[in-house]
Amino acid sequence: MQLISKEEVKRMGADGRSKLFNKSSPECLRPGDVVLVETLNSMSTDKTSSFVGVLIAMDRRGLHSNFTVRNVVLKVGVEMKYMLYSPLIKSVRVMKRGEGFRRAKLFYLRDNPGRAFRLEGLVKLDKAAQAKKAAA
């Protein structure tokens, strides 16, 4: 059973998603990182939606690995939970590394978000960098 699970993870993580959850990888996701998740709206269309937020929780469970991203939108806290190997996830990118977080689960940010949710400028910088890459 474990062999089947390992083969499925290897097949589903062909685009590099497995490196994001591998603890020994240098580009591993950690709680407190600001991530941009692009998802397909449906399998039949190419329309995508994106969500930027602070990674507050991760569950490493092989093929059933998931992560929770939180942001404040229009003064309302929004949390999205994503399955890592879902076919609807187009990409997961780290926008900024978290610093100063020493817990595995950052649920305390629900009560006192403070500095963690000032993310407006990151999206603009990322779009500018992508446009610069496309032009070059």
Side-chain angles (χ1 to χ4, degrees):
M1 196 65 180
Q2 290 179 345
L3 180 64
I4 294 171
S5 177
K6 286 181 183 179
E7 289 176 2
E8 284 290 316
V9 168
K10 187 180 284 187
R11 185 177 63 82
M12 294 295 289
D15 61 349
R17 292 184 207 180
S18 298
K19 289 182 182 178
L20 293 175
F21 270 64
N22 187 358
K23 287 183 182 180
S24 62
S25 174
E27 59 258 6
C28 172
L29 286 176
R30 301 203 185 282
D33 291 349
V34 177
V35 295
L36 171 73
V37 182
E38 290 181 309
T39 58
L40 296 171
N41 291 343
S42 71
M43 292 296 287
S44 61
T45 64
D46 291 335
K47 295 181 181 179
T48 62
S49 62
S50 60
F51 187 79
V52 178
V54 177
L55 184 75
I56 63 169
M58 298 169 53
D59 289 325
R60 293 180 178 96
R61 293 183 181 165
L63 193 59
H64 305 289
S65 297
N66 60 52
F67 57 98
T68 306
V69 180
R70 180 176 174 86
N71 197 356
V72 176
V73 179
L74 299 174
K75 298 182 182 179
V76 177
V78 178
E79 286 188 12
M80 300 290 287
K81 192 166 190 174
Y82 296 102
M83 296 294 289
L84 180 65
Y85 297 109
S86 170
L88 292 176
I89 292 184
K90 185 176 177 183
S91 68
V92 178
R93 285 185 290 157
V94 178
M95 305 285 286
K96 180 180 160 189
R97 291 287 175 184
E99 296 177 5
F101 298 106
R102 297 177 55 137
R103 300 281 178 264
K105 307 281 191 234
L106 303 179
F107 295 137
Y108 64 89
L109 291 178
R110 292 173 176 164
D111 300 328
N112 188 9
R115 62 179 171 83
F117 295 107
R118 295 188 184 130
L119 311 175
E120 298 86 21
L122 289 175
V123 177
K124 292 178 186 175
L125 288 174
D126 185 57
K127 286 183 181 179
Q130 284 188 353
K132 191 174 184 181
K133 277 186 182 179

